[in-house]
Amino acid sequence: MSSLPSSINNTNSSTNNTLIVLLYATNILLPIFIAGTSTALSTWVIPMILTNPSSKSAIYQFNTTVARGGRFLQPLSRFLAASFAALTLLVSQHPDQSVAAHWKYWAFGTVVLVSNAPYEIIAVFPVNDRVEALGKRNRDGDGDLSEIERKELVALLRSWQKWNMGRVALVFLAGVIALWTTFDTLANK
């Protein structure tokens, strides 16, 4: 039993419930945005880069795309994982046991999102680094890559398309977990 006045306990409970509702919405909507944007990179942006007849320009476009993704999508993904983790904690402490019982699903969603980091390090970042290295090696060259290097660039971009969809799948899975958990929580209230 708390020694705080009931008006303070009610305020804290109301604030926590409002925060939980905001995090539920964030954890459903943000994965849709991130997965949609990342899917567009693989299905629209990379195919357009592949049509570029200039290898130097294609490398520049790819590196710019990766840099912007790092500036915008990476912080959003980190925020999303933190949001799932915060919701795990808040839900686990909820006074309504039908709500509190769902903490493990939010925890699973957190693990799914956090697993994206090692996946990127193993599968995606080496491709980014290799494309960047091709660009650096040819920056002062005659203006374009050799035929062998051009084929390697195309293979790297196609590989990036595939590996990027793995990231999409993890974020999408987290979004499905959030949607299912939210609906299940509402159904059990």
Side-chain angles (χ1 to χ4, degrees):
M1 189 95 188
S2 173
S3 61
L4 294 172
S6 63
S7 62
I8 292 176
N9 280 336
N10 289 341
T11 301
N12 287 340
S13 177
S14 175
T15 300
N16 280 348
N17 285 335
T18 301
L19 182 56
I20 287 172
V21 168
L22 289 172
L23 289 173
Y24 273 37
T26 298
N27 291 349
I28 292 169
L29 297 175
L30 198 51
I32 293 169
F33 175 78
I34 293 170
T37 302
S38 293
T39 298
L41 294 175
S42 284
T43 60
W44 289 349
V45 175
I46 297 301
M48 289 188 334
I49 291 172
L50 285 167
T51 65
N52 193 327
S54 164
S55 298
K56 272 191 163 183
S57 180
I59 291 170
Y60 173 78
Q61 290 170 340
F62 176 80
N63 288 339
T64 300
T65 300
V66 167
R68 288 188 180 183
R71 233 182 348 260
F72 298 107
L73 292 175
Q74 197 170 44
L76 282 176
S77 295
R78 288 178 180 162
F79 173 78
L80 181 61
S83 179
F84 265 72
L87 199 49
T88 300
L89 180 63
L90 287 169
V91 166
S92 73
Q93 302 300 313
H94 199 279
D96 182 341
Q97 288 307 304
S98 69
V99 173
H102 288 87
W103 74 268
K104 59 184 130 323
Y105 303 114
W106 294 111
F108 178 59
T110 303
V111 170
V112 167
L113 289 168
V114 169
S115 71
N116 226 340
Y119 175 82
E120 289 176 326
I121 290 167
I122 292 167
V124 179
F125 293 165
V127 177
N128 298 352
D129 295 343
R130 183 66 189 128
V131 172
E132 186 175 5
L134 275 174
K136 283 181 181 175
R137 193 170 67 230
N138 288 287
R139 189 169 289 143
D140 299 322
D142 62 0
D144 214 354
L145 300 176
S146 70
E147 188 59 33
I148 292 171
E149 291 170 324
R150 175 70 185 178
K151 285 180 181 178
E152 181 184 2
L153 175 62
V154 168
L156 287 167
L157 294 178
R158 292 198 188 287
S159 173
W160 191 92
Q161 279 181 291
K162 177 184 69 174
W163 294 122
N164 183 57
M165 292 308 291
R167 293 193 289 194
V168 169
L170 291 170
V171 173
F172 181 78
L173 176 58
V176 169
I177 292 167
L179 190 61
W180 181 86
T181 304
T182 300
F183 284 142
D184 193 58
T185 300
L186 294 172
N188 288 316
K189 285 199 90 160

